[in-house]
Amino acid sequence: MTYTIGLQASTVGTGHAHGKTILVGEHTVVYGLPAIAIPLSGLTVDAVARAGVDSAVSGRPTMPRVLDREHFQYRFTCGHDDSAAGAEFGPAIAVRAALHRWRIDHGSVEVSVGSSIPPARGLGSSAALAAAAVRAVANLLAEPLEDRALFELVQCGEQVAHGRASGVDTATVIALEPVWFEADKAHPIMPGLDAALVLADSGIAGNTRQAVEVARGVLGRRRADARQLLATAAAITERAATALKAGQAATLGYWMAEFHALLQKLGVSTAELDRLVTAAQRAGAHGAKLTGGGLGGCVLALTEPESAAAVAGALTDAGAQQTWTVPIRSRLP
Ligand code: PMV
């Protein structure tokens, strides 16, 4: 059986998601190795879905439109068969996959999304937009949506956006706790420390798809070293997890810095990101690294709560366009 979207124009569905930052393990996670990521509940995305006004006429899709670039407002219309529209826009691809899953074969939905996550900064913007949009459409259609089904739908868009998406972004933008992500599965990981994460935006847009290609190229050219490099990445991530759970902030910072060195070897850091990392370390951070795809985007520093303001100030002095301070709180297992 197939269905048409036959809803009152006044009926709306809503959906929410948030940003994320990767503590350790980006890029090597693409090869099935573990990563640790932290949800950023203060960077939010809210979506509203309604039946497309054109659905009775033609079901014709519209390309994604940016309504207000400064405030990251987007609107797009999606039908089940508009494969050309928004071909590169992950949230539209995810919504189309959702319509297909729910066997909606006629009509369209209009989705409006407002985000406080700057795009192309390694903060999970594309996954969070898609997750909020799919949740809004599920809510509109009164379809139950388990986290695993949501994960799979969002991944349809992320595979296009990243070229090869591990799923760590998707898992973390819908998670409520820090995440240990490995081989396509997310598990909560309970921090044993009270600390602060200071995020600093280099102001330069990253490009995850390109960065994943760069890293793959390096691993392909240096085959002899690649196995060793991946083994080192997995070992660093394991040790970082142990330090996070045991509340050893200085040790965790040390492994973050080691992971930044590994990302430099993978070719995804830049002079600007390296400068911000050095500034954070000099200002007293336990450790700092680029976070996310790199080639631009953000740096992440781990600090004592009382040093966070000084580290954020040093990052601004070193050229960061914006900083955010996020607490990590210890939780009992
Ligand atoms: O979306 P970004 O830039 O935070 O990158 C996600 C992490 C990568 O490991 C680079 C890609 C992936 O899909 O895991």
Side-chain angles (χ1 to χ4, degrees):
M1 183 141 35
T2 55
Y3 300 96
T4 298
I5 302 172
L7 297 163
Q8 305 259 329
S10 58
T11 309
V12 298
T14 57
H16 179 85
H18 48 250
K20 66 98 221 300
T21 183
I22 299 178
L23 200 59
V24 278
E26 52 273 89
H27 284 289
T28 51
V29 69
V30 170
Y31 301 91
L33 301 185
I36 305 170
I38 313 280
L40 299 174
S41 58
L43 290 180
T44 56
V45 177
D46 288 286
V48 175
R50 43 175 65 83
V53 285
D54 59 346
S55 60
V57 184
S58 66
R60 270 205 16 233
T62 54
M63 294 296 281
R65 269 199 302 144
V66 181
L67 301 180
D68 175 347
R69 201 167 287 281
E70 198 178 331
H71 297 100
F72 316 133
Q73 304 277 337
Y74 307 83
R75 182 180 298 157
F76 58 93
T77 307
C78 230
H80 73 291
D81 63 349
D82 48 344
S83 45
E88 295 291 321
F89 191 57
I93 294 166
V95 167
R96 195 163 51 240
L99 295 179
H100 184 71
R101 183 184 187 101
W102 297 320
R103 290 180 288 164
I104 302 293
D105 79 330
H106 188 78
S108 61
V109 284
E110 183 189 273
V111 186
S112 305
V113 195
S115 170
S116 62
I117 311 174
R121 296 299 194 275
L123 299 178
S125 164
S126 64
L129 289 175
V134 170
R135 278 177 161 163
V137 174
N139 184 233
L140 174 76
L141 300 173
E143 288 286 348
L145 183 61
E146 301 287 334
D147 277 358
R148 188 67 205 178
L150 175 60
F151 176 89
E152 284 163 9
L153 292 169
V154 172
Q155 278 295 93
C156 296
E158 287 292 280
Q159 296 297 3
V160 175
H162 289 194
R164 185 167 167 182
S166 66
V168 65
D169 283 17
T170 302
T172 314
V173 301
I174 59 174
L176 301 175
E177 302 286 355
V179 163
W180 171 269
F181 186 88
E182 185 171 11
D184 210 31
K185 296 272 178 321
H187 309 275
I189 179 168
M190 297 301 170
L193 78 176
D194 292 305
L197 291 174
V198 180
L199 282 151
D201 182 359
S202 67
I204 298 163
N207 182 328
T208 305
R209 195 187 170 91
Q210 191 187 340
V212 168
E213 278 300 310
V214 167
R216 191 174 32 193
V218 170
L219 290 171
R221 275 194 304 282
R222 296 172 48 181
R223 273 181 200 279
D225 303 343
R227 194 184 298 263
Q228 181 58 42
L229 195 139
L230 292 175
T232 303
I236 293 175
T237 306
E238 294 277 357
R239 285 171 188 162
T242 303
L244 176 66
K245 288 189 277 190
Q248 297 160 344
T251 309
L252 176 57
Y254 173 81
W255 291 119
M256 288 169 65
E258 287 291 297
F259 207 87
H260 183 71
L262 190 140
L263 291 168
Q264 286 176 316
K265 285 189 192 147
L266 284 178
V268 296
S269 193
T270 62
E272 291 81 8
L273 294 171
D274 291 346
R275 193 173 59 236
L276 292 176
V277 165
T278 304
Q281 310 254 38
R282 284 198 183 135
H286 289 304
K289 59 182 277 294
L290 74 86
T291 185
L295 299 181
C298 288
V299 154
L300 174 68
L302 178 75
T303 76
E304 291 301 313
E306 53 277 14
S307 326
V311 170
L315 285 161
T316 303
D317 292 345
Q321 293 214 336
Q322 195 176 357
T323 65
W324 300 265
T325 297
V326 182
I328 297 191
R329 297 217 170 81
S330 61
R331 295 189 182 82
L332 293 173

